[in-house]
Amino acid sequence: MPTILLIGQKTTISLINDRTRELWQSFSPRKKEIKNLANQDLYSVEIYPGPEYFQHFDPTKEFEKWAAVAVSEFDKIPKGMDDLTIPSGEYAVFHYKGKPSEVMETFKYIYGEWFPTSGFTIDNRPHFAVMGSKYKGEHPESEEEFWIPIKAKQ
């Protein structure tokens, strides 16, 4: 995957203190302020504090969450927003169709079944979901992609 330039808003959350809805409610009306859009997709990005985040499940562990869009350059960043560069690298991409509120089984599969048998481990780069033209929010036909950074096991 090539480098992706994003502009958006961020917050610190945990699985127990999930403020994703508030983040998107704050960002969505302001999306029109962002110039140089690369496409119309929305990006939900998670930046975890390191590989140890996944070693012992703790729903109180905090991480950085972004609501963002891809841009072609960072020349005009609206006040109250930040820029983020997702570096190039290898990603495992998982297609999901269904209500976002029902995604937990997909994540259980990815982290509990796919990773242990894949020959890969999680790389320390941003994780993200791409919500494109088929994303319909809480509709059962909604579609999105989960991009998880990977590297070969050593």
Side-chain angles (χ1 to χ4, degrees):
M1 181 213 68
T3 300
I4 300 173
L5 306 178
L6 300 175
I7 292 178
Q9 291 179 289
K10 64 183 175 180
T11 190
T12 301
I13 69 170
S14 69
L15 295 177
I16 291 288
N17 186 19
D18 185 0
R19 295 188 310 274
T20 301
R21 180 190 265 325
E22 293 89 348
L23 177 63
W24 281 100
Q25 287 175 338
S26 173
F27 174 73
S28 292
R30 297 196 61 209
K31 178 185 162 201
K32 63 185 174 289
E33 298 173 38
I34 301 170
K35 306 303 178 207
N36 305 319
L37 290 179
N39 55 52
Q40 294 300 310
D41 297 343
L42 299 173
Y43 289 75
S44 179
V45 182
E46 294 86 26
I47 301 174
Y48 298 101
E52 64 280 352
Y53 179 89
F54 295 96
Q55 292 171 353
H56 303 288
F57 180 74
D58 178 354
T60 65
K61 284 185 186 175
E62 292 188 331
F63 58 92
E64 192 172 274
K65 179 83 168 187
W66 286 71
V69 293
V71 296
S72 56
E73 58 187 351
F74 290 139
D75 66 338
K76 296 178 184 172
I77 301 171
K79 186 175 181 173
M81 293 192 193
D82 292 295
D83 63 275
L84 174 66
T85 300
I86 296 180
S88 63
E90 193 168 3
Y91 278 80
V93 181
F94 298 89
H95 179 262
Y96 175 72
K97 184 175 183 178
K99 294 179 180 182
S101 62
E102 298 173 358
V103 74
M104 195 51 64
E105 288 303 313
T106 298
F107 287 128
K108 285 181 184 176
Y109 164 76
I110 293 169
Y111 295 104
E113 296 178 40
W114 187 84
F115 264 109
T117 62
S118 69
F120 294 98
T121 186
I122 297 171
D123 199 3
N124 192 24
R125 289 180 281 122
H127 298 223
F128 60 95
V130 178
M131 297 164 288
S133 62
K134 294 182 180 181
Y135 183 76
K136 301 173 184 172
E138 276 299 308
H139 191 280
E141 296 295 311
S142 186
E143 296 182 41
E144 59 188 297
E145 292 178 343
F146 300 113
W147 291 63
I148 302 181
I150 59 173
K151 63 181 178 182
K153 287 183 182 173
Q154 296 182 6

